[in-house]
Amino acid sequence: MPSSLLAQASLLEEGASADPYELYQRLRAPERPIRDAILGVQLVARHAQVVQLFESPDGRPAIGGTGVEPEHLDPNGQQRLTAIRAAMARWLTYLPPDEHARRRRALTPALPALLGPPLRRRVAALADALLDQITRSTPEGDIRFDAVGELAQPLPVLVIGEILGMPESERPRLVDWSRSILTYFEIGNADPAATVDSMFEALEEMADLVRGLIAARRERGVDEDGDFIARLVAADELSDDEIVATAVQLLFAGHETTRNLLGNGLWTLLRHEGSIERLRRDPSLLRSTVEECLRYESPLQISSRTFDHGASIDGMHFEPGETAILVLGAANRDPQAFDNADRFDLARGDRRHVAFGRGKHFCLGAALSRLEGEVFFERLLARFTDLTLDGPVEWRPSFAFRGLERLPLRATPAAAGELE
């Protein structure tokens, strides 16, 4: 491929957020990472190299905010940015190795303990309640609805709210908070000042909410079998500040990534003829379908690593203080890692994808997201005998978090006798 084309490659190219896959082919073409023509950072797009950087001890996750720097802000904005970065530095993702290991050990028993059959049944009940609302809106005939706004977005909000013991009245606020945090993480930020203000307020409000939940759990008494926060309080291994930081990160990450998995996955199934009917005929494919959706249309397209002291890893060289962007969406379509990588195959079931990261920073909420994906597809197909697109889809104006804003569908409800 001509070097001139590679020199022009950038994640900020027009149209890249809606369809980045031609760009990804160009990024994977050279043996070594290239530098983004606009952002100026190295773009690591090959699967093997992304895995190496995830697992290398030389790099650390970079605190988000590409395009949000102090020089873009007035003094008040700079103070708020400092506070944001200090709050995020307490998130599990960004802790130094020893602190990360200690925190992860304290968290590991609490979340998996919640992910048993009772939670699966509860997620199914929440999904059914949302589907009931949709079907009630049209008593007879086919139903038209937005699968993102009416299903893929509210379901993860309800689930993470329940896991953390968040009052139902507060859960709708999570959508606005998530949008504020998402904007902060976006590359090439167009309005740093507004982004910082919104992010600062979202983090403050979320922290206040979690502190209230902690206080309520302490007042109520120790509960080793309660919600996630109750279990952490009962275990007494983390400070209140550590519980707040963990819960705030989960409130955002536990909603946003799953939202995109559900919406992107359903859109992908609809675009590949016969996939939905195959899944309907063989529900044993639910688990592998979720994995293939994660690989094929990854909810999170990029991650990053900063090399404080520089590093040379398998021919990749990074100067001290340099940050590299790991292009997860490109790695997950790498033909050197996956046969027929650009083909969607719901029976593939390959967990070598990097949609949830790799190594010690592998996503803590991956099992929850997978569970929600399986239940979502299962309940949706049980309720409708026919699903078709009912108009153009609308992508969110985000590159980092790849997801649909709107997915209009037309559906035929299953007859009462056909429901499981």
Side-chain angles (χ1 to χ4, degrees), residues 91 157 160-161 164 166-167 169-185 195 198-210 213 247-248 251-253 255-256 396:
W91 287 11
V157 169
I160 198 66
L164 293 177
M166 188 177 177
S169 60
E170 297 284 356
R171 294 177 193 177
R173 301 174 67 193
L174 181 56
V175 175
D176 291 334
W177 289 335
S178 290
R179 286 184 182 275
S180 296
I181 299 174
L182 182 150
T183 303
Y184 178 82
F185 278 99
T195 296
S198 182
M199 173 73 158
F200 178 84
E201 291 166 7
L203 291 180
E204 288 276 288
E205 291 171 5
M206 293 168 83
D208 288 345
L209 170 70
V210 176
L213 297 178
V248 167
L251 280 169
F252 167 63
H255 157 247
E256 195 63 43
R396 303 171 81 179

Side-chain angles (χ1 to χ4, degrees), residues 310-334:
S312 292
I313 304 167
D314 189 31
M316 297 178 284
H317 181 71
F318 305 97
E319 297 292 334
E322 184 174 2
T323 295
I325 290 181
L326 283 57
V327 191
L328 311 186
N332 285 338
R333 296 277 196 104
D334 188 345

Side-chain angles (χ1 to χ4, degrees), residues 36-230:
D36 189 289
I38 299 175
L39 298 171
V41 297
Q42 291 193 63
L43 303 175
V44 184
R46 290 191 172 193
H47 183 272
Q49 294 172 338
V50 167
V51 169
Q52 285 180 309
L53 293 193
F54 268 131
E55 296 180 344
S56 171
D58 295 319
R60 62 176 175 83
I63 292 180
T66 304
V68 180
E69 298 295 340
E71 57 266 26
H72 301 151
L73 306 167
D74 63 19
N76 181 62
Q78 291 174 7
Q79 289 182 352
R80 288 190 159 194
L81 180 59
T82 299
I84 288 169
R85 290 179 172 176
M88 291 177 62
R90 293 192 288 272
W91 287 11
L92 179 67
T93 302
Y94 304 114
L95 292 174
D98 290 346
E99 279 298 296
H100 179 273
R102 181 186 68 82
R103 176 97 60 94
R104 189 121 187 174
R105 283 194 301 270
L107 294 172
T108 296
L111 192 56
L114 293 167
L115 299 178
L119 179 63
R120 179 176 286 268
R121 289 192 293 270
R122 184 57 184 152
V123 173
L126 292 170
D128 282 337
L130 293 171
L131 289 162
D132 286 342
Q133 293 177 16
I134 291 170
T135 54
R136 280 197 299 266
S137 66
T138 307
E140 296 182 2
D142 286 354
I143 296 170
R144 290 178 168 86
F145 64 99
D146 172 19
V148 172
E150 297 177 67
L151 283 175
Q153 178 169 284
L155 181 60
V157 169
L158 294 171
V159 172
I160 198 66
E162 290 226 350
I163 285 177
L164 293 177
M166 188 177 177
E168 289 188 28
S169 60
E170 297 284 356
R171 294 177 193 177
R173 301 174 67 193
L174 181 56
V175 175
D176 291 334
W177 289 335
S178 290
R179 286 184 182 275
S180 296
I181 299 174
L182 182 150
T183 303
Y184 178 82
F185 278 99
E186 195 49 63
I187 57 176
N189 195 287
D191 192 345
T195 296
V196 165
D197 286 344
S198 182
M199 173 73 158
F200 178 84
E201 291 166 7
L203 291 180
E204 288 276 288
E205 291 171 5
M206 293 168 83
D208 288 345
L209 170 70
V210 176
R211 290 190 186 283
L213 297 178
I214 293 171
R217 302 304 179 272
R218 293 196 190 284
E219 184 177 337
R220 190 166 72 193
V222 172
D223 185 358
E224 296 178 352
D225 297 316
D227 57 54
F228 184 67
I229 291 179

